[in-house]
Amino acid sequence: VDLLERQVFDSSIEQEPTIELTMSQRYNRINTPRENKNGPLLSSDEDAKLIRKKLAERISNKLHALFWSTVAGFVCYYSNFFNILFSDVRVKKLWLNFALVCFGINFVITLYLALWLPMVKKITAPWNIYCPRVIPTATGVGLLCGISLNMALWNVWGFLTPLILALIFMGFMFSLHFVPWPC
């Protein structure tokens, strides 16, 4: 009986959980004067290759962004997108208004995540940690916006509607490459 009571007593005592840390979690490496922020000090040839690689990647990104923005501009111009969107009688206004409300909600969510949290509240924690429900909410609202915009414009362009909207969306997203951010 004494052994049974001891086992029950030992199991009822709450033990603090132990956390196993790896070596990299316990110690942060401090840069020495012979190292730069990217790791060990590189020779001039390796450093030049790294700089050239980063420059080529940046130019490639800007050219892709320019391509998609140009395509979206041509699509908007030749389809007379904004005139049709706001003044054509074939557009279903209920679906258009719902899409505009969804777009507004997504715009506010984007401003909250990109400007309010880091610049006003000075929060540096990742979004999925600080506000875990915001990204799924923005995704759902974005899908509703796309579906309702397709529904609103289907009478105008028919089967070309998803293609036109996808090209304009890609151009809009890639045009953000040309916005000078304060960072």
Side-chain angles (χ1 to χ4, degrees):
V1 176
D2 189 33
L3 181 62
L4 182 61
E5 288 176 3
R6 184 177 302 155
Q7 287 177 347
V8 170
F9 179 74
D10 288 344
S11 66
S12 67
I13 297 175
E14 293 183 22
Q15 296 179 356
E16 292 184 25
T18 58
I19 299 173
E20 294 292 324
L21 296 177
T22 63
M23 184 65 79
S24 63
Q25 291 172 329
R26 282 187 267 172
Y27 301 104
N28 291 331
R29 184 171 176 83
I30 298 173
N31 290 338
T32 62
R34 298 210 26 94
E35 295 178 342
N36 62 15
K37 64 181 176 182
N38 297 326
L41 189 63
L42 302 173
S43 68
S44 61
D45 291 338
E46 292 171 341
D47 200 23
K49 285 181 184 177
L50 182 65
I51 291 172
R52 225 176 302 128
K53 180 181 175 183
K54 286 183 178 182
L55 181 63
E57 184 177 334
R58 184 177 170 126
I59 290 172
S60 173
N61 288 341
K62 295 295 180 185
L63 287 175
H64 279 96
L66 181 66
F67 169 75
W68 283 109
S69 299
T70 305
V71 167
F74 279 122
V75 168
C76 282
Y77 180 75
Y78 287 110
S79 68
N80 205 8
F81 182 74
F82 293 106
N83 255 349
I84 287 174
L85 188 66
F86 294 114
S87 64
D88 197 322
V89 295
R90 296 174 290 176
V91 175
K92 297 179 182 175
K93 297 297 181 188
L94 176 70
W95 289 107
L96 177 64
N97 291 336
F98 185 69
L100 291 175
V101 167
C102 289
F103 182 78
I105 291 170
N106 257 357
F107 187 72
V108 168
I109 289 174
T110 302
L111 288 178
Y112 174 73
L113 292 176
L115 298 176
W116 183 261
L117 287 181
M119 294 182 181
V120 177
K121 292 190 78 172
K122 306 288 185 205
I123 294 174
T124 58
W127 297 336
N128 60 350
I129 303 294
Y130 185 73
C131 42
R133 288 184 222 106
V134 172
I135 298 298
T137 302
T139 304
V141 171
L143 286 173
L144 285 175
C145 178
I147 291 169
S148 59
L149 201 53
N150 274 298
M151 297 283 290
L153 296 172
W154 191 265
N155 289 341
V156 179
W157 292 300
F159 286 106
L160 290 177
T161 304
L163 177 67
I164 290 171
L165 291 178
L167 290 174
I168 291 171
F169 174 75
M170 290 294 288
F172 174 72
M173 293 305 291
F174 275 99
S175 68
L176 295 176
H177 277 269
F178 303 112
V179 174
W181 294 104
C183 311

